[in-house]
Amino acid sequence: MNFLRGVMGGPSAGPQPSGAETIQKLCDRVASSTLLDDRRDAVRALKSLSKKYRLEVGIQAMEHLIHVLQTDRSDSEIIGYALDTLYNVISNDLEEEEQDDSEEENLPKQVDDLGSQFTEIFIKQQENVTLLLTLVEEFDFHVRWPGVKLLTSLLKQQGPQVQQIILVSPMGVSRLMDLLADSREVIRNDGVLLLQQLTKSNAAIQKIVAFENAFERLLDIITEEGNSDGGIVVEDCLLLLQNLLKNNNSNQNFFKEGSYIQRMKPWFEVGDDNCGWSAQKVTNLHLMLQLVRVLVSPTNPPGATSSCQKAMFHCGLLQQLCTILMATGVPADILTETINTVSEVIRGCQMNQDYFASVNAPSNPPRPAIVVLLMSMVNERQPFVLRCAVLYCFQCFLYKNQKGQGEIVSTLLPSTIDATGNSVSAGQLLCGGLFSTDSLSNWCAAVALAHALQENATLKEQLLRVQLATSIGNPPVSLLQQCTNILSQGDKIDRRGSKVQTRVGLLMLLCTWLSNCSIAVTHFLHNPANIPFLTGQIAENLGEEEQLVQGLCALLLGISIYYNDNSLENYRKEKLKQLIEKRIGRENFIEKLGFISKHELYSRAAQKPQPSFSSPDHMMFDHEFTKLVKELEGVISKAIYKSSEEDKKEEEVKKTLEQHDNIVTHYKKVIREQDQELEELKQRVNTLTSQNEQLQATVTQQVSQIQQHKDQYNLLKVQLGKDTQHHNSHSDTFQMNGIQVEEVSKLKEELEEWKNKHELLQGQLREKDSVIEKLKSSQLELGTTEQSSQTSKSGGLEHNNELQKELEMLRTQVQLQSAEISKLQLENQKLQVTNTSADPVLGDSGATAANSSELEGRLQQEIKELKSEVKALSEEKESLKQHLDSSSSTVAILQDEKSKLQQEVAESKKEQDDLLVLLADQDQKLSALKIKLKDLGVPVEDEDDIESGDQGDEDEDGDEEEQD
């Protein structure tokens, strides 16, 4: 009892034991007590001391507490106390309180190191973490909640090590996912915090959590909590979603395919009154916008970004963001983040860019959203971050959008400027910002205008037509001339902000404008003051700030040489090189040119497309311009060191190569056309083949149908024959039963007449036979002379033949009549028999006649129906035969077409082989020319190098188009 009083703070007669001694006794009690109640009381006491004596409890009691977790799992109360004690020892959440207590006892502590060291001791045995995962599965609140907190603290202290242990543990991540489904909000919310720590910088765990239906559960929680109006729980869920999606392409694709983007739309529904937003709502909305940007970040794979952009347009999310963009009363930081989000949603997506171009601000009269944003960009009273966001939005709108670039430049051309002046166009705002007295506006407008010209030679030429009215009474000046005038005035104009910034912006605009546009270079060189100004700037020895301007001037001069078409006699390539050699020196020129890429701000701008600067003074370079510098720096250095002879040789080689390229291009075009024709012919052959197969299948099917109809016809014919025989038997019976005595007598008379005729014919036959015999005998007697015998012979033969024919006819008639007589005799006998049997029943003949007439009517009706069916079947048979004939003719036509197409394919292949032979000849000529140039000492690149260089150019062009 004295011991317990000492622990609980009761009165004690003796000296008070120290904290370490008390903790030692409690640890002994936990280790040695056999009663569960004693151990529970000791662990409870350790828990109460663990905050004040963190180090002592951690050193002495950790092993005993882990043993309690292993052996006393049946008692939830002692498990809860043990988990709370371990949490107090490992966690750094009570750092301030511990530091105050340590000051009171003058015990210096390194809180961060303590937590990390105790965590390392705990996880040294991986079974401890596995045991903790098992305890987290318990439903008891007093076990599960402290288990979740302890595991979260372990992840905070030693995240990668604990993540690896959980990852290899069976169903480790799945157990923790069940926390999100807990009905108790405290455990659910702490489960979200636990998963935040678990998913940090571990792609494998992020994928497992995502496929454990985390997106569905987290979005449900956000909806239940009220979306952006929710509390801290919504913020935690959004942070967890960012962990799962950021830099994880697999999870991003799963999020899109699961139609979860559509569920983000309600997050951004704002009302008309946007005043008085709470700090939590601002935080939640800021995180929601960042989550949208994670899905469409420029660092993601282009295909994934494009599909997410399209999904956001189709579900109405982009429209909702544009509504926030044009709404009133929205906080400044939310508006800035919304502009950045809209920028990346439309970047490189033509459909989204077209929609954004059609958005109007709710003003009177309505103005395009782009114009309203540009007004904010060139307004020096707007916040710096907002102006940077608007510039980024404008850059993303023009990225890979030649249609948008043309619309912006067209607002500057004389034919499209609004003469009334009622509305302000984007071009007017850019010119106003370009020539204002605010250096930041100058820089932003110059970069924005440079993006309107990016990778578009046509617009660079059109922009040369722009004329500006400088003052009343003076003639208009071209935009290019005005830019060079401001550049040459330098420090003479009083500006707000960095003086270097304006010149850097104008030089970047001029370099972008003149690059890859010989006409613009000619216009630039046409002004005699430009080249002396550039050489003077490069030759001077200025301070560090001015070195950047010198480098850009060297780049502009190099572009004027490299893209010079020698149309101006005084400013040919060779004369400009001589000028550099005399006034600057080649080495000095190359050194000044290298100032650009060596600058610290250049390296920052080259990292990502979004302009993010800590202050306006650091706003010097644009991301797209760094690509241009990287592309031109090497070629300009080579162009400066080349002599006139080398230039001439290079031009000759270029002309030869161009001719060869033109020939090759022509042949490639011919081959491409023939390939297309070949593909079309192949497609036609395939189509005709498929049609032929279909027709053959149809013919086969129709033949089988015809055979079926034939079988049905034959079957019906057999049935019809049986029915006819049956009907005839019935009709014969009816005639026999209904015959009269008078008819019998008539038949007898006819029979007698036929007998008389038969006898008469037999008599005639006998007479003919006798005549024939007489003729035969007379024929033997004749023949005295050869002529008379021949005549009599021929006449006798003819007469004999006629008589034989008549004899044969008479015999056939006799046979027919004898057959009829025998038939009539047989019928006469049958009639006599039936007549004798019909006399006694003559009284019943009326009823029998009536029944027989009814039966005869039915039989006749059936016969008519069968005849009609036979007729229909015969007609159907005829139609099927006609269809079969037409199908056979179609198949024959298709086979003829197929043979023709195969012949055409063979001819096209032959032509293609001839073209390949011509190409081989041209390659041999080219190799011979290269050998001659090498003999003359001219460096000639190999074909593989040229092809790789062309490929590199194409890749860089593609990158620039993506950034546009």
Side-chain angles (χ1 to χ4, degrees):
M1 294 299 293
N2 290 335
F3 169 73
L4 288 176
R5 283 197 208 92
V7 171
M8 304 306 293
S12 176
Q16 295 291 331
S18 65
E21 293 174 352
T22 305
I23 291 167
Q24 181 62 45
K25 292 178 181 179
L26 290 173
C27 291
D28 295 341
R29 187 82 174 272
V30 171
S32 60
S33 295
T34 56
L35 295 177
L36 179 61
D37 292 340
D38 290 345
R39 294 199 300 276
R40 186 189 304 121
D41 292 339
V43 174
R44 185 192 300 119
L46 285 173
K47 174 189 171 184
S48 63
L49 293 172
S50 60
K51 293 181 181 179
K52 187 174 183 179
Y53 300 101
R54 179 183 176 188
L55 178 64
E56 291 79 1
V57 173
I59 294 174
Q60 301 181 37
M62 180 174 289
E63 184 178 352
H64 301 293
L65 293 172
I66 293 173
H67 184 70
V68 168
L69 295 178
Q70 295 171 345
T71 57
D72 294 333
R73 290 185 57 184
S74 58
D75 185 68
S76 61
E77 191 174 355
I78 190 173
I79 295 295
Y81 291 149
L83 292 171
D84 283 334
T85 305
L86 288 172
Y87 172 73
N88 292 337
V89 169
I90 291 174
S91 174
N92 291 328
D93 293 343
L94 304 175
E95 179 179 349
E96 293 182 359
E97 183 179 349
E98 289 180 356
Q99 284 178 346
D100 294 341
D101 294 341
S102 65
E103 286 175 1
E104 291 175 2
E105 295 189 3
N106 296 321
L107 294 175
K109 295 191 178 185
Q110 299 175 350
V111 181
D112 293 338
D113 292 341
L114 271 181
S116 178
Q117 290 172 5
F118 285 138
T119 301
E120 191 173 351
I121 294 170
F122 184 84
I123 66 174
K124 186 176 291 184
Q125 298 294 329
Q126 295 188 6
E127 296 81 6
N128 296 339
V129 180
T130 306
L131 175 63
L132 189 56
L133 290 173
T134 307
L135 293 173
V136 168
E137 283 188 294
E138 297 288 339
F139 186 74
D140 193 317
F141 180 81
H142 298 290
V143 176
R144 196 171 204 181
W145 187 39
V148 170
K149 293 194 296 182
L150 176 57
L151 192 55
T152 305
S153 183
L154 291 173
L155 285 164
K156 286 181 179 178
Q157 301 295 337
Q158 297 287 341
Q161 293 88 338
V162 180
Q163 283 175 344
Q164 192 60 32
I165 296 172
I166 295 175
L167 190 59
V168 300
S169 177
M171 300 293 291
V173 179
S174 300
R175 295 177 188 177
L176 300 179
M177 285 300 299
D178 293 337
L179 297 172
L180 295 180
D182 200 305
S183 58
R184 295 160 293 193
E185 290 190 2
V186 176
I187 294 179
R188 184 199 68 184
N189 298 343
D190 282 349
V192 174
L193 297 175
L194 169 60
L195 291 172
Q196 276 185 28
Q197 299 298 326
L198 181 66
T199 55
K200 277 185 177 179
S201 305
N202 194 309
I205 294 179
Q206 290 169 1
K207 292 178 182 179
I208 296 173
V209 171
F211 283 96
E212 288 284 346
N213 207 21
F215 292 139
E216 184 77 28
R217 296 183 185 180
L218 291 172
L219 292 174
D220 287 341
I221 295 173
I222 292 173
T223 304
E224 291 172 5
E225 294 291 328
N227 294 328
S228 60
D229 294 323
I232 189 71
V233 179
V234 173
E235 179 182 348
D236 294 336
C237 291
L238 291 170
L239 290 172
L240 177 54
L241 284 172
Q242 282 192 17
N243 283 353
L244 296 175
L245 292 172
K246 195 169 186 178
N247 299 325
N248 194 317
N249 300 329
S250 174
N251 284 1
Q252 290 175 6
N253 187 55
F254 181 67
F255 190 85
K256 177 183 70 70
E257 295 294 336
S259 300
Y260 296 120
I261 291 178
Q262 287 81 341
R263 296 188 60 179
M264 298 169 71
K265 181 187 175 184
W267 295 355
F268 305 103
E269 293 177 354
V270 295
D272 296 332
D273 186 12
N274 296 313
C275 299
W277 284 14
S278 64
Q280 187 61 56
K281 181 174 181 177
V282 172
T283 302
N284 291 344
L285 205 53
H286 199 273
L287 290 173
M288 290 171 177
L289 292 168
Q290 287 182 348
L291 191 63
V292 174
R293 294 184 65 185
V294 165
L295 295 172
V296 293
S297 172
T299 58
N300 294 342
T305 301
S306 177
S307 58
C308 288
Q309 289 172 333
K310 292 176 182 177
M312 289 176 183
F313 174 78
H314 290 304
C315 74
L317 180 58
L318 175 59
Q319 293 83 334
Q320 204 67 46
L321 292 173
C322 290
T323 303
I324 297 177
L325 200 64
M326 295 293 106
T328 57
V330 178
D333 52 347
I334 295 297
L335 182 60
T336 303
E337 190 64 23
T338 304
I339 294 173
N340 288 326
T341 306
V342 170
S343 305
E344 295 183 351
V345 172
I346 68 173
R347 186 176 189 270
C349 181
Q350 187 67 50
M351 178 174 57
N352 293 1
Q353 289 168 339
D354 291 343
Y355 170 77
F356 184 70
S358 66
V359 175
N360 289 324
S363 60
N364 192 14
R367 288 177 176 171
I370 297 174
V371 172
V372 175
L373 291 175
L374 288 177
M375 291 172 70
S376 301
M377 185 185 74
V378 298
N379 187 354
E380 56 185 299
R381 289 176 293 184
Q382 294 292 340
F384 173 66
V385 290
L386 179 63
R387 299 174 74 179
C388 290
V390 173
L391 176 61
Y392 184 47
C393 184
F394 191 73
Q395 292 174 353
C396 292
F397 169 69
L398 296 178
Y399 182 69
K400 288 185 178 180
N401 184 11
Q402 292 191 355
K403 179 183 176 183
Q405 288 178 322
E407 291 174 352
I408 296 298
V409 172
S410 66
T411 59
L412 287 165
L413 299 178
S415 59
T416 57
I417 294 176
D418 186 7
T420 60
N422 294 330
S423 61
V424 180
S425 65
Q428 291 172 335
L429 288 171
L430 290 177
C431 284
L434 194 62
F435 307 129
S436 72
T437 56
D438 177 36
S439 60
L440 186 58
S441 298
N442 301 154
W443 190 91
C444 291
V447 171
L449 198 56
H451 276 263
L453 303 175
Q454 202 79 35
E455 297 297 329
N456 200 324
T458 305
L459 295 181
K460 291 177 182 178
E461 294 177 7
Q462 289 185 3
L463 200 64
L464 296 172
R465 296 164 45 202
V466 177
Q467 299 290 323
L468 303 176
T470 54
S471 60
I472 299 174
N474 292 329
V477 180
S478 68
L479 178 61
L480 181 65
Q481 182 64 44
Q482 184 65 15
C483 290
T484 56
N485 290 342
I486 296 175
L487 190 62
S488 61
Q489 290 175 2
D491 299 335
K492 297 178 181 179
I493 301 176
D494 186 17
R495 300 182 185 277
R496 291 179 294 276
S498 173
K499 296 180 181 179
V500 177
Q501 196 172 41
T502 299
R503 286 185 285 168
V504 168
L506 289 171
L507 285 168
M508 286 195 298
L509 172 60
L510 291 173
C511 289
T512 305
W513 193 348
L514 269 60
S515 65
N516 204 20
C517 184
S518 299
I519 299 176
V521 172
T522 303
H523 278 71
F524 178 77
L525 296 176
H526 195 70
N527 186 353
N530 289 337
I531 296 301
F533 167 73
L534 293 179
T535 54
Q537 289 286 319
I538 299 169
E540 288 183 9
N541 292 323
L542 303 173
E544 291 185 1
E545 290 185 357
E546 297 293 334
Q547 286 182 354
L548 190 56
V549 176
Q550 286 184 320
L552 291 171
C553 288
L555 179 65
L556 183 58
L557 183 56
I559 291 172
S560 301
I561 295 173
Y562 187 73
Y563 291 106
N564 191 349
D565 59 359
N566 294 328
S567 59
L568 295 177
E569 184 62 30
N570 294 332
Y571 295 102
R572 297 174 62 85
K573 286 184 178 181
E574 187 58 33
K575 291 187 176 181
L576 291 176
K577 289 180 186 179
Q578 292 174 0
L579 186 65
I580 291 174
E581 179 68 26
K582 291 178 180 179
R583 296 192 180 182
I584 304 171
R586 291 179 181 178
E587 292 77 9
N588 191 22
F589 179 85
I590 299 300
E591 181 184 358
K592 298 292 177 69
L593 184 62
F595 285 164
I596 303 174
S597 56
K598 293 177 183 179
H599 203 281
E600 180 184 0
L601 298 178
Y602 174 89
S603 303
R604 291 183 187 176
Q607 293 175 359
K608 57 181 181 179
Q610 182 181 358
S612 56
F613 305 100
S614 57
S615 67
D617 293 338
H618 293 163
M619 209 169 187
M620 289 294 175
F621 286 108
D622 172 56
H623 179 75
E624 290 296 325
F625 182 74
T626 60
K627 292 182 179 180
L628 182 67
V629 172
K630 192 181 299 183
E631 176 187 350
L632 294 178
E633 188 174 6
V635 295
I636 290 174
S637 300
K638 291 181 181 179
I640 293 299
Y641 279 102
K642 285 181 181 177
S643 63
S644 59
E645 295 180 356
E646 291 176 345
D647 285 338
K648 290 179 180 178
K649 291 180 181 179
E650 185 179 356
E651 287 179 0
E652 292 177 358
V653 172
K654 280 183 179 180
K655 289 179 180 178
T656 307
L657 292 175
E658 285 177 0
Q659 292 176 358
H660 177 268
D661 290 340
N662 292 334
I663 296 172
V664 172
T665 304
H666 174 68
Y667 283 128
K668 284 182 178 179
K669 185 178 179 182
V670 173
I671 293 173
R672 195 178 298 113
E673 291 175 354
Q674 291 184 347
D675 286 339
Q676 290 178 356
E677 292 177 359
L678 189 61
E679 288 297 326
E680 291 175 358
L681 292 174
K682 286 181 179 179
Q683 290 177 1
R684 286 184 62 189
V685 169
N686 294 332
T687 305
L688 293 173
T689 304
S690 61
Q691 290 178 358
N692 187 14
E693 292 175 354
Q694 291 176 0
L695 290 173
Q696 287 180 352
T698 306
V699 169
T700 306
Q701 185 179 2
Q702 289 176 352
V703 169
S704 63
Q705 289 178 357
I706 290 171
Q707 188 62 38
Q708 291 177 2
H709 288 303
K710 283 182 179 179
D711 296 339
Q712 293 176 1
Y713 173 71
N714 293 330
L715 183 60
L716 291 172
K717 192 175 181 181
V718 173
Q719 292 178 355
L720 181 61
K722 291 181 179 179
D723 293 339
T724 306
Q725 291 177 2
H726 182 65
H727 177 67
N728 291 336
S729 64
H730 279 290
S731 63
D732 291 342
T733 305
F734 166 69
Q735 290 173 2
M736 290 178 194
N737 291 334
I739 202 75
Q740 302 295 328
V741 181
E742 296 175 356
E743 294 179 358
V744 175
S745 61
K746 289 180 180 180
L747 290 172
K748 286 180 178 180
E749 291 175 358
E750 291 178 359
L751 181 60
E752 291 296 331
E753 289 178 359
W754 282 109
K755 283 181 179 180
N756 295 331
K757 289 181 180 179
H758 180 62
E759 292 175 355
L760 179 62
L761 290 171
Q762 282 181 348
Q764 292 177 357
L765 182 61
R766 285 192 291 270
E767 290 177 357
K768 297 292 184 182
D769 289 335
S770 63
V771 173
I772 291 169
E773 291 296 330
K774 289 179 182 180
L775 288 171
K776 287 181 178 180
S777 61
S778 62
Q779 183 180 3
L780 294 173
E781 294 175 355
L782 295 175
T784 55
T785 62
E786 188 175 354
Q787 184 175 4
S788 63
S789 64
Q790 288 176 355
T791 306
S792 62
K793 186 178 178 181
S794 61
L797 286 171
E798 291 176 359
H799 188 61
N800 190 12
N801 289 333
E802 291 176 0
L803 290 173
Q804 283 182 356
K805 289 180 181 179
E806 288 180 0
L807 179 61
E808 291 296 330
M809 290 174 64
L810 290 171
R811 282 177 180 174
T812 54
Q813 288 180 2
V814 169
Q815 288 176 359
L816 291 171
Q817 288 174 355
S818 62
E820 275 188 304
I821 290 168
S822 61
K823 184 178 179 182
L824 290 171
Q825 287 175 351
L826 183 62
E827 288 179 357
N828 189 14
Q829 291 175 2
K830 289 180 181 180
L831 289 171
Q832 286 177 357
V833 173
T834 54
N835 190 20
T836 57
S837 62
D839 289 338
V841 291
L842 196 60
D844 297 332
S845 62
T848 305
N851 293 330
S852 298
S853 64
E854 183 178 357
L855 181 60
E856 183 181 9
R858 290 181 181 175
L859 290 172
Q860 288 178 353
Q861 183 67 27
E862 290 179 358
I863 289 169
K864 288 181 180 179
E865 291 176 357
L866 290 170
K867 286 183 178 179
S868 63
E869 290 179 358
V870 170
K871 185 178 180 182
L873 288 171
S874 62
E875 291 175 356
E876 188 175 359
K877 178 182 177 183
E878 291 298 326
S879 65
L880 289 173
K881 284 183 178 179
Q882 293 176 0
H883 194 189
L884 178 61
D885 295 337
S886 64
S887 300
S888 301
S889 63
T890 306
V891 169
I893 292 169
L894 291 175
Q895 288 178 349
D896 293 337
E897 289 182 359
K898 180 180 178 181
S899 62
K900 290 179 181 178
L901 290 173
Q902 287 177 347
Q903 186 177 1
E904 290 177 1
V905 169
E907 291 176 358
S908 63
K909 285 184 178 178
K910 185 178 180 181
E911 291 177 2
Q912 188 172 0
D913 293 336
D914 296 336
L915 291 173
L916 290 174
V917 171
L918 289 173
L919 283 174
D921 294 338
Q922 290 296 327
D923 289 333
Q924 290 178 358
K925 291 180 181 178
L926 178 63
S927 60
L929 288 171
K930 286 183 178 178
I931 292 171
K932 288 181 180 179
L933 290 173
K934 287 181 179 178
D935 294 337
L936 293 171
V938 179
V940 180
E941 293 180 347
D942 292 331
E943 191 172 71
D944 295 335
D945 298 335
I946 294 172
E947 289 178 356
S948 62
D950 294 341
Q951 184 66 31
D953 294 341
E954 290 175 3
D955 294 341
E956 290 178 0
D957 294 342
D959 293 338
E960 291 177 2
E961 288 175 0
E962 289 177 0
Q963 298 296 334
D964 202 348

